[in-house]
Amino acid sequence: HMLPLVWDCLLQEIKNETSCYLRIPNELFYFNPHNPRNYLGKNLIKHALLRLLSLRAIRSITHFSHIQHCRFFIGALGTGCMTYQDIDCGLRAIQKRIGPEDHVEVLLHPGQSNSTEHYWDRLPELQRYYYGQNRKKEKILACNPGVKALLTQINHDGNQ
């Protein structure tokens, strides 16, 4: 939905709604030394593109008071292999900027397919991603009490 053509169509559809929430993946850059592969390749490119598109999107909704969005987002840099350290580093990158009314959205991909789902037979290039162990790890991460504690702390403290 961040592509300009799609975004502009979406805005036309929701501009007269009474309230609306949109995900805008405006992720600040952070570096996680424990997961350096996130910075070599497509995640870094995705992060840069989403950042540019997000800034455009935010500018386009500033005069719509009924459209809400999270000010902070974590998940593009670690797409497909998010770790506790990624979330922690992402939160540290925003800790000085977050206010009491701000929202942080953390994106995980906790679903995992298996070989009995024949849908992916038609898309072999995606099998590795959807069958991969990283999806299982993200499911475990989503249920990790330590992650909940990190998010609760940033939510209550505002700036840790």
Side-chain angles (χ1 to χ4, degrees), residues 77-129:
L77 278 169
T79 297
C81 55
M82 286 284 284
T83 64
Y84 176 89
Q85 290 86 3
D86 285 307
I87 296 170
D88 186 41
C89 290
L91 290 173
R92 289 177 190 277
I94 65 173
Q95 71 183 5
K96 301 279 189 224
R97 299 175 184 197
I98 193 165
E101 300 299 318
D102 290 330
H103 294 86
V104 178
E105 189 169 334
V106 178
L107 178 67
L108 298 172
H109 294 90
Q112 185 181 27
S113 295
N114 61 52
S115 58
T116 63
E117 296 178 51
H118 296 288
Y119 174 79
W120 300 111
D121 294 346
R122 299 185 320 236
L123 302 163
E125 67 279 6
L126 295 177
Q127 283 181 359
R128 194 175 117 216
Y129 180 71

Side-chain angles (χ1 to χ4, degrees), residues 47-159:
H47 173 268
L49 288 172
L50 285 173
R51 179 94 168 127
L52 289 172
L53 294 170
S54 293
L55 293 173
R56 177 190 182 274
I58 291 168
R59 280 192 306 271
S60 73
I61 63 169
T62 55
H63 59 281
F64 292 111
S65 61
H66 69 283
I67 300 176
Q68 304 296 311
H69 68 91
C70 64
R71 183 164 172 225
F72 300 103
F73 178 89
I74 299 168
L77 278 169
T79 297
C81 55
M82 286 284 284
T83 64
Y84 176 89
Q85 290 86 3
D86 285 307
I87 296 170
D88 186 41
C89 290
L91 290 173
R92 289 177 190 277
I94 65 173
Q95 71 183 5
K96 301 279 189 224
R97 299 175 184 197
I98 193 165
E101 300 299 318
D102 290 330
H103 294 86
V104 178
E105 189 169 334
V106 178
L107 178 67
L108 298 172
H109 294 90
Q112 185 181 27
S113 295
N114 61 52
S115 58
T116 63
E117 296 178 51
H118 296 288
Y119 174 79
W120 300 111
D121 294 346
R122 299 185 320 236
L123 302 163
E125 67 279 6
L126 295 177
Q127 283 181 359
R128 194 175 117 216
Y129 180 71
Y130 287 100
Y131 293 170
Q133 289 301 305
N134 284 331
R135 307 263 308 186
K136 185 175 184 180
K137 290 176 187 175
E138 286 194 21
K139 182 177 183 178
I140 293 167
L141 180 63
C143 300
N144 182 328
V147 170
K148 182 177 180 181
L150 273 178
L151 296 172
T152 301
Q153 182 178 358
I154 196 90
N155 190 34
H156 290 295
D157 295 349
N159 59 10

